Amino acid sequence: MKLDEKGLLIVLSGPSGVGKGTVREALFKMEGHDLVYSVSMTTRSPRDGEVNGREYYFVTRDEFIDNINNGKMLEYTEFCGNFYGTPLDEVNKLINEGKEVLLEIEVNGAMQVKEKMKDAIFIFIAPPSFDALKNRLIRRGTETNKSIDDRILKAEREIGLAINYDYIVVNDEVKNAADKILAIIRAEHAKTKRTIEKYNELLEIKK
Ligand code: 5GP
């Protein structure tokens, strides 16, 4: 009998440019997990190569606002002029199916999830240094100068929010960071609060 049969909600967050997306991709390529990615909704335009329903659900501002008003978002935020958010129904469905559901979101949204989902696991991806973060944002080349400046300003504020998370994982090297996250997920499955119910059942069977 498996002790933990419920799904997990894992929130991967941290400042823009810290490499959350890259760490997430590395994580999904690794063996030994049952992770599913919760695709977010956004009003920003697709970048080259991005596909609707894979990287994001790309919607209009009106559609996004309708979703907010109809209570369909677990969390959302306005980030550098665009809305980003997590569709609620999909997340609940996946957790109930026993999946390890991974959200990769910015810090404001992560704090909203913390208010609503008490069992979720919060992992802050931190840069090895602030300079490393700035260089990444500039090198990435996907943003205009104005957007880079906005993102750097935001990142400066966000770096201090790590205290609100269960774990801090430094993205010094992508593989290293992904390894640590996998170890965290494994350990979380064994936490007493997640296993005690099944454990008690098991004891009664043996009595
Ligand atoms: P980008 O435009 O680079 O794809 O994403 C900008 C920021 O929005 C990133 O920090 C990314 O993690 C965050 N983000 C993506 N999806 C969501 C979401 O559903 N909710 C929130 N709060 N942030 C998101």
Side-chain angles (χ1 to χ4, degrees), residues 14-16 20 37 40-41 44 47 50 56 75-77 79 84-86 104-106 108-110 140 143 151:
S16 174
K20 298 188 287 290
Y37 178 56
S40 293
M41 195 174 276
R44 92 151 156 69
R47 294 179 186 137
E50 286 185 336
Y56 285 104
E75 60 75 34
Y76 68 91
T77 195
F79 179 92
Y84 295 81
T86 306
E104 182 229 303
I105 61 179
E106 55 70 65
N108 180 35
R140 192 156 73 173
E143 311 303 323
R151 284 172 187 237

